[in-house]
Amino acid sequence: MNDREGIFIIDEDKPKKELVNHPNHYGGKDNPYEAIKVIEAWDLGFCLGNTVKYISRAGKKDETIQELEKALWYLKREIKNLKDGKK
């Protein structure tokens, strides 16, 4: 357990659906392609990181179209920022 995980654990003895530390809709703790691991390894930053996050969980958490629309929103924002010279 790392520091990030430790501050969110309330009761380790009660089995429950994990929503904070390595939730399944992001790949899970043992998955080397868990969204946060990929985002950090690739140093994607906020907008591209969110694009990958929403694509990776499409159909696993919320409605697939909603997740893909969120991904598209962040991708368009990244493109706009690059065109506007903000990156």
Side-chain angles (χ1 to χ4, degrees):
M1 175 182 351
N2 63 38
D3 291 340
R4 181 180 69 87
E5 294 169 335
I7 62 174
F8 294 110
I9 294 175
I10 296 169
D11 189 349
E12 290 184 33
D13 296 332
K14 292 184 179 179
K16 59 184 176 285
K17 183 177 178 182
E18 181 56 65
L19 299 175
V20 177
N21 299 304
H22 312 288
N24 287 335
H25 57 269
Y26 289 129
K29 183 177 185 175
D30 298 326
N31 186 335
Y33 304 108
E34 181 183 20
I36 195 165
K37 294 172 190 168
V38 171
I39 291 164
E40 289 175 346
W42 293 350
D43 195 28
L44 293 178
F46 188 76
C47 287
L48 290 180
N50 275 319
T51 301
V52 167
K53 174 182 78 172
Y54 286 117
I55 289 171
S56 72
R57 78 178 202 191
K60 297 176 186 143
K61 183 176 180 196
D62 296 322
E63 293 295 321
T64 302
I65 291 174
Q66 177 182 321
E67 301 286 32
L68 295 176
E69 286 174 339
K70 289 177 184 180
L72 182 59
W73 187 91
Y74 280 103
L75 183 57
K76 286 180 178 180
R77 185 174 179 91
E78 178 73 8
I79 291 168
K80 183 180 181 320
N81 286 341
L82 288 170
K83 286 182 176 179
D84 292 348
K86 295 180 181 176
K87 289 258 179 171

